[in-house]
mmCIF file of all heavy atoms in Angstrom:
data_model
loop_
_atom_site.group_PDB
_atom_site.id
_atom_site.type_symbol
_atom_site.label_atom_id
_atom_site.label_comp_id
_atom_site.label_asym_id
_atom_site.label_seq_id
_atom_site.Cartn_x
_atom_site.Cartn_y
_atom_site.Cartn_z
ATOM 1 N N HIS V 17 102.313 56.200 77.287
ATOM 2 C CA HIS V 17 102.394 56.162 78.738
ATOM 3 C C HIS V 17 103.099 57.369 79.318
ATOM 4 O O HIS V 17 102.678 57.857 80.377
ATOM 5 C CB HIS V 17 103.201 54.907 79.113
ATOM 6 C CG HIS V 17 103.060 54.573 80.563
ATOM 7 N ND1 HIS V 17 101.826 54.163 81.178
ATOM 8 C CD2 HIS V 17 104.046 54.507 81.603
ATOM 9 C CE1 HIS V 17 102.068 53.982 82.482
ATOM 10 N NE2 HIS V 17 103.361 54.262 82.763
ATOM 11 N N ALA V 20 100.764 60.295 79.223
ATOM 12 C CA ALA V 20 99.625 60.007 80.222
ATOM 13 C C ALA V 20 100.118 60.332 81.660
ATOM 14 O O ALA V 20 99.366 60.907 82.504
ATOM 15 C CB ALA V 20 99.134 58.639 80.085
ATOM 16 N N MET V 21 101.320 59.863 81.923
ATOM 17 C CA MET V 21 101.834 60.094 83.280
ATOM 18 C C MET V 21 101.987 61.653 83.565
ATOM 19 O O MET V 21 101.726 62.104 84.618
ATOM 20 C CB MET V 21 103.234 59.464 83.417
ATOM 21 C CG MET V 21 103.121 57.911 83.470
ATOM 22 S SD MET V 21 102.267 57.314 85.064
ATOM 23 C CE MET V 21 100.911 56.490 84.444
ATOM 24 N N GLU V 23 100.278 63.906 82.105
ATOM 25 C CA GLU V 23 98.815 64.295 82.235
ATOM 26 C C GLU V 23 98.273 64.165 83.696
ATOM 27 O O GLU V 23 97.479 64.893 84.241
ATOM 28 C CB GLU V 23 97.911 63.693 81.213
ATOM 29 C CG GLU V 23 96.383 63.932 81.323
ATOM 30 C CD GLU V 23 95.972 65.370 80.778
ATOM 31 O OE1 GLU V 23 96.909 66.106 80.307
ATOM 32 O OE2 GLU V 23 94.828 65.645 80.992
ATOM 33 N N LEU V 24 98.732 63.044 84.286
ATOM 34 C CA LEU V 24 98.303 62.669 85.654
ATOM 35 C C LEU V 24 99.039 63.510 86.664
ATOM 36 O O LEU V 24 98.731 63.429 87.911
ATOM 37 C CB LEU V 24 98.490 61.235 85.991
ATOM 38 C CG LEU V 24 97.660 60.192 85.187
ATOM 39 C CD1 LEU V 24 97.986 58.805 85.551
ATOM 40 C CD2 LEU V 24 96.158 60.531 85.387
ATOM 41 N N GLY V 25 99.944 64.337 86.271
ATOM 42 C CA GLY V 25 100.548 65.334 87.134
ATOM 43 C C GLY V 25 101.974 65.035 87.527
ATOM 44 O O GLY V 25 102.596 65.728 88.413
ATOM 45 N N PHE V 26 102.583 63.931 87.081
ATOM 46 C CA PHE V 26 103.861 63.594 87.493
ATOM 47 C C PHE V 26 104.908 64.258 86.588
ATOM 48 O O PHE V 26 104.714 64.690 85.473
ATOM 49 C CB PHE V 26 104.110 62.067 87.338
ATOM 50 C CG PHE V 26 103.161 61.282 88.239
ATOM 51 C CD1 PHE V 26 102.055 60.583 87.615
ATOM 52 C CD2 PHE V 26 103.332 61.240 89.579
ATOM 53 C CE1 PHE V 26 101.239 59.922 88.398
ATOM 54 C CE2 PHE V 26 102.393 60.588 90.411
ATOM 55 C CZ PHE V 26 101.405 59.824 89.799
ATOM 56 N N LYS V 127 106.402 46.772 81.575
ATOM 57 C CA LYS V 127 105.113 46.942 80.941
ATOM 58 C C LYS V 127 105.113 46.084 79.658
ATOM 59 O O LYS V 127 103.964 45.780 79.146
ATOM 60 C CB LYS V 127 104.816 48.318 80.545
ATOM 61 C CG LYS V 127 104.014 48.982 81.692
ATOM 62 C CD LYS V 127 103.311 50.226 81.103
ATOM 63 C CE LYS V 127 102.262 50.827 82.090
ATOM 64 N NZ LYS V 127 101.225 49.869 82.278
ATOM 65 N N ASN V 157 103.495 45.173 85.357
ATOM 66 C CA ASN V 157 102.241 45.923 85.182
ATOM 67 C C ASN V 157 101.918 45.909 83.725
ATOM 68 O O ASN V 157 102.191 46.856 82.997
ATOM 69 C CB ASN V 157 102.489 47.268 85.761
ATOM 70 C CG ASN V 157 101.437 48.328 85.393
ATOM 71 O OD1 ASN V 157 101.749 49.528 85.109
ATOM 72 N ND2 ASN V 157 100.188 47.981 85.392
ATOM 73 N N VAL V 167 95.465 56.680 73.916
ATOM 74 C CA VAL V 167 95.375 57.689 74.845
ATOM 75 C C VAL V 167 94.298 57.467 75.896
ATOM 76 O O VAL V 167 94.513 57.433 77.083
ATOM 77 C CB VAL V 167 95.177 59.097 74.224
ATOM 78 C CG1 VAL V 167 94.917 60.221 75.273
ATOM 79 C CG2 VAL V 167 96.432 59.474 73.432
ATOM 80 N N ASN V 168 93.094 57.184 75.335
ATOM 81 C CA ASN V 168 91.994 56.925 76.251
ATOM 82 C C ASN V 168 92.158 55.628 77.090
ATOM 83 O O ASN V 168 91.938 55.635 78.261
ATOM 84 C CB ASN V 168 90.680 56.777 75.435
ATOM 85 C CG ASN V 168 89.543 56.661 76.329
ATOM 86 O OD1 ASN V 168 89.247 57.576 77.098
ATOM 87 N ND2 ASN V 168 88.830 55.512 76.349
ATOM 88 N N ASP V 169 92.756 54.584 76.485
ATOM 89 C CA ASP V 169 92.972 53.317 77.252
ATOM 90 C C ASP V 169 94.042 53.530 78.304
ATOM 91 O O ASP V 169 93.946 52.818 79.275
ATOM 92 C CB ASP V 169 93.459 52.246 76.253
ATOM 93 C CG ASP V 169 92.311 51.693 75.398
ATOM 94 O OD1 ASP V 169 91.168 52.111 75.592
ATOM 95 O OD2 ASP V 169 92.627 50.881 74.517
ATOM 96 N N THR V 170 94.960 54.523 78.057
ATOM 97 C CA THR V 170 95.980 54.637 79.095
ATOM 98 C C THR V 170 95.480 55.568 80.319
ATOM 99 O O THR V 170 95.742 55.278 81.476
ATOM 100 C CB THR V 170 97.177 55.289 78.479
ATOM 101 O OG1 THR V 170 97.576 54.498 77.381
ATOM 102 C CG2 THR V 170 98.435 55.350 79.467
ATOM 103 N N LEU V 171 94.682 56.552 79.897
ATOM 104 C CA LEU V 171 94.182 57.465 80.964
ATOM 105 C C LEU V 171 92.968 56.880 81.729
ATOM 106 O O LEU V 171 92.750 57.205 82.945
ATOM 107 C CB LEU V 171 93.718 58.826 80.340
ATOM 108 C CG LEU V 171 94.900 59.639 79.923
ATOM 109 C CD1 LEU V 171 94.297 60.967 79.113
ATOM 110 C CD2 LEU V 171 95.800 60.177 81.052
ATOM 111 N N HIS V 172 92.260 56.034 81.025
ATOM 112 C CA HIS V 172 91.053 55.402 81.662
ATOM 113 C C HIS V 172 91.116 53.852 81.427
ATOM 114 O O HIS V 172 90.246 53.345 80.656
ATOM 115 C CB HIS V 172 89.735 56.008 81.119
ATOM 116 C CG HIS V 172 89.779 57.438 81.048
ATOM 117 N ND1 HIS V 172 89.535 58.213 82.128
ATOM 118 C CD2 HIS V 172 89.920 58.424 80.004
ATOM 119 C CE1 HIS V 172 89.662 59.549 81.842
ATOM 120 N NE2 HIS V 172 89.909 59.621 80.529
ATOM 121 N N PRO V 173 92.060 53.213 81.988
ATOM 122 C CA PRO V 173 92.118 51.728 81.671
ATOM 123 C C PRO V 173 91.048 50.918 82.334
ATOM 124 O O PRO V 173 90.484 51.333 83.300
ATOM 125 C CB PRO V 173 93.452 51.381 82.461
ATOM 126 C CG PRO V 173 93.793 52.447 83.453
ATOM 127 C CD PRO V 173 93.077 53.699 82.955
ATOM 128 N N ASP V 174 90.574 49.935 81.627
ATOM 129 C CA ASP V 174 89.488 49.165 82.074
ATOM 130 C C ASP V 174 89.909 48.221 83.261
ATOM 131 O O ASP V 174 89.097 47.712 83.981
ATOM 132 C CB ASP V 174 88.659 48.341 81.029
ATOM 133 C CG ASP V 174 89.645 47.511 80.170
ATOM 134 O OD1 ASP V 174 90.849 47.328 80.573
ATOM 135 O OD2 ASP V 174 89.180 47.006 79.151
ATOM 136 N N ARG V 175 91.156 48.116 83.426
ATOM 137 C CA ARG V 175 91.769 47.458 84.664
ATOM 138 C C ARG V 175 93.197 47.742 84.720
ATOM 139 O O ARG V 175 93.880 47.977 83.724
ATOM 140 C CB ARG V 175 91.443 45.953 84.734
ATOM 141 C CG ARG V 175 92.362 45.065 83.860
ATOM 142 C CD ARG V 175 92.032 45.094 82.453
ATOM 143 N NE ARG V 175 92.360 43.793 81.868
ATOM 144 C CZ ARG V 175 92.327 43.692 80.436
ATOM 145 N NH1 ARG V 175 92.040 44.647 79.737
ATOM 146 N NH2 ARG V 175 92.562 42.472 80.010
ATOM 147 N N ILE V 176 93.811 47.787 85.939
ATOM 148 C CA ILE V 176 95.158 47.942 86.206
ATOM 149 C C ILE V 176 95.648 46.745 86.888
ATOM 150 O O ILE V 176 95.111 46.278 87.954
ATOM 151 C CB ILE V 176 95.370 49.164 86.999
ATOM 152 C CG1 ILE V 176 94.920 50.496 86.333
ATOM 153 C CG2 ILE V 176 96.864 49.330 87.474
ATOM 154 C CD1 ILE V 176 94.583 51.624 87.183
ATOM 155 N N LEU V 189 102.799 51.895 93.199
ATOM 156 C CA LEU V 189 101.868 51.776 92.116
ATOM 157 C C LEU V 189 100.475 52.234 92.403
ATOM 158 O O LEU V 189 99.834 52.830 91.458
ATOM 159 C CB LEU V 189 101.900 50.322 91.593
ATOM 160 C CG LEU V 189 103.168 50.060 90.837
ATOM 161 C CD1 LEU V 189 103.339 48.580 90.596
ATOM 162 C CD2 LEU V 189 103.263 50.757 89.468
ATOM 163 N N ARG V 190 100.005 52.187 93.562
ATOM 164 C CA ARG V 190 98.750 52.744 93.958
ATOM 165 C C ARG V 190 98.793 54.338 93.860
ATOM 166 O O ARG V 190 97.854 54.936 93.470
ATOM 167 C CB ARG V 190 98.322 52.413 95.337
ATOM 168 C CG ARG V 190 97.723 50.916 95.402
ATOM 169 C CD ARG V 190 96.973 50.668 96.768
ATOM 170 N NE ARG V 190 96.546 49.310 96.842
ATOM 171 C CZ ARG V 190 95.466 48.774 96.324
ATOM 172 N NH1 ARG V 190 94.649 49.502 95.606
ATOM 173 N NH2 ARG V 190 95.180 47.508 96.435
ATOM 174 N N GLU V 191 99.993 54.784 94.230
ATOM 175 C CA GLU V 191 100.263 56.226 94.115
ATOM 176 C C GLU V 191 100.180 56.689 92.604
ATOM 177 O O GLU V 191 99.543 57.707 92.228
ATOM 178 C CB GLU V 191 101.490 56.646 94.727
ATOM 179 C CG GLU V 191 101.552 58.055 95.367
ATOM 180 C CD GLU V 191 102.953 58.148 96.099
ATOM 181 O OE1 GLU V 191 103.363 57.311 96.775
ATOM 182 O OE2 GLU V 191 103.449 59.336 95.987
ATOM 183 N N VAL V 192 100.885 55.908 91.772
ATOM 184 C CA VAL V 192 100.950 56.238 90.383
ATOM 185 C C VAL V 192 99.555 56.254 89.787
ATOM 186 O O VAL V 192 99.248 57.168 88.966
ATOM 187 C CB VAL V 192 101.867 55.225 89.586
ATOM 188 C CG1 VAL V 192 101.727 55.417 88.134
ATOM 189 C CG2 VAL V 192 103.287 55.326 90.003
ATOM 190 N N TYR V 193 98.714 55.240 90.059
ATOM 191 C CA TYR V 193 97.493 55.103 89.418
ATOM 192 C C TYR V 193 96.321 55.591 90.291
ATOM 193 O O TYR V 193 95.189 55.270 90.030
ATOM 194 C CB TYR V 193 97.307 53.526 89.133
ATOM 195 C CG TYR V 193 98.201 53.156 88.012
ATOM 196 C CD1 TYR V 193 99.134 52.115 88.251
ATOM 197 C CD2 TYR V 193 98.130 53.660 86.697
ATOM 198 C CE1 TYR V 193 99.970 51.676 87.250
ATOM 199 C CE2 TYR V 193 99.002 53.331 85.747
ATOM 200 C CZ TYR V 193 99.867 52.277 85.959
ATOM 201 O OH TYR V 193 100.749 51.816 84.979
ATOM 202 N N ALA V 194 96.555 56.532 91.227
ATOM 203 C CA ALA V 194 95.480 56.956 92.115
ATOM 204 C C ALA V 194 94.324 57.560 91.304
ATOM 205 O O ALA V 194 93.175 57.376 91.670
ATOM 206 C CB ALA V 194 96.164 57.951 93.070
ATOM 207 N N THR V 195 94.697 58.395 90.331
ATOM 208 C CA THR V 195 93.638 59.083 89.579
ATOM 209 C C THR V 195 92.657 58.089 88.893
ATOM 210 O O THR V 195 91.422 58.082 89.060
ATOM 211 C CB THR V 195 94.211 60.126 88.534
ATOM 212 O OG1 THR V 195 95.133 60.981 89.272
ATOM 213 C CG2 THR V 195 93.147 60.938 87.908
ATOM 214 N N PRO V 196 93.193 57.187 88.025
ATOM 215 C CA PRO V 196 92.317 56.210 87.347
ATOM 216 C C PRO V 196 91.531 55.360 88.372
ATOM 217 O O PRO V 196 90.327 54.973 88.129
ATOM 218 C CB PRO V 196 93.128 55.409 86.434
ATOM 219 C CG PRO V 196 94.543 55.783 86.679
ATOM 220 C CD PRO V 196 94.613 57.088 87.425
ATOM 221 N N VAL V 197 92.178 54.962 89.456
ATOM 222 C CA VAL V 197 91.547 54.016 90.439
ATOM 223 C C VAL V 197 90.448 54.809 91.061
ATOM 224 O O VAL V 197 89.320 54.314 91.209
ATOM 225 C CB VAL V 197 92.585 53.495 91.407
ATOM 226 C CG1 VAL V 197 91.746 52.891 92.576
ATOM 227 C CG2 VAL V 197 93.544 52.559 90.791
ATOM 228 N N THR V 198 90.598 56.058 91.414
ATOM 229 C CA THR V 198 89.503 56.963 92.041
ATOM 230 C C THR V 198 88.314 57.006 91.054
ATOM 231 O O THR V 198 87.204 57.039 91.364
ATOM 232 C CB THR V 198 89.956 58.287 92.355
ATOM 233 O OG1 THR V 198 91.129 58.129 93.212
ATOM 234 C CG2 THR V 198 88.977 59.108 93.159
ATOM 235 N N ALA V 199 88.737 57.107 89.700
ATOM 236 C CA ALA V 199 87.654 57.214 88.711
ATOM 237 C C ALA V 199 86.997 55.882 88.307
ATOM 238 O O ALA V 199 86.107 55.807 87.594
ATOM 239 C CB ALA V 199 88.294 57.759 87.439
ATOM 240 N N GLY V 200 87.483 54.809 89.056
ATOM 241 C CA GLY V 200 86.726 53.560 88.853
ATOM 242 C C GLY V 200 87.448 52.390 88.219
ATOM 243 O O GLY V 200 86.924 51.298 88.135
ATOM 244 N N SER V 201 88.670 52.637 87.799
ATOM 245 C CA SER V 201 89.490 51.427 87.157
ATOM 246 C C SER V 201 89.807 50.450 88.229
ATOM 247 O O SER V 201 90.382 50.793 89.314
ATOM 248 C CB SER V 201 90.816 51.897 86.542
ATOM 249 O OG SER V 201 90.587 52.783 85.490
ATOM 250 N N PRO V 202 89.420 49.136 88.085
ATOM 251 C CA PRO V 202 89.700 48.165 89.132
ATOM 252 C C PRO V 202 91.327 47.996 89.187
ATOM 253 O O PRO V 202 92.018 48.076 88.140
ATOM 254 C CB PRO V 202 89.122 46.868 88.634
ATOM 255 C CG PRO V 202 88.229 47.356 87.489
ATOM 256 C CD PRO V 202 88.646 48.603 86.942
ATOM 257 N N PHE V 203 91.783 47.786 90.428
ATOM 258 C CA PHE V 203 93.200 47.544 90.627
ATOM 259 C C PHE V 203 93.384 46.105 91.005
ATOM 260 O O PHE V 203 92.957 45.741 92.111
ATOM 261 C CB PHE V 203 93.608 48.559 91.745
ATOM 262 C CG PHE V 203 95.125 48.632 91.980
ATOM 263 C CD1 PHE V 203 95.892 49.504 91.235
ATOM 264 C CD2 PHE V 203 95.684 47.820 92.988
ATOM 265 C CE1 PHE V 203 97.273 49.707 91.468
ATOM 266 C CE2 PHE V 203 97.131 47.993 93.174
ATOM 267 C CZ PHE V 203 97.862 48.903 92.380
#
Side-chain angles (χ1 to χ4, degrees):
H17 192 66
M21 288 293 119
E23 174 74 5
L24 294 180
F26 301 105
K127 267 201 168 294
N157 169 218
V167 170
N168 187 64
D169 286 353
T170 308
L171 289 172
H172 311 284
D174 52 14
R175 79 282 209 193
I176 296 158
L189 284 166
R190 283 195 186 276
E191 207 175 321
V192 169
Y193 291 118
T195 306
V197 169
T198 307
S201 298
F203 190 86

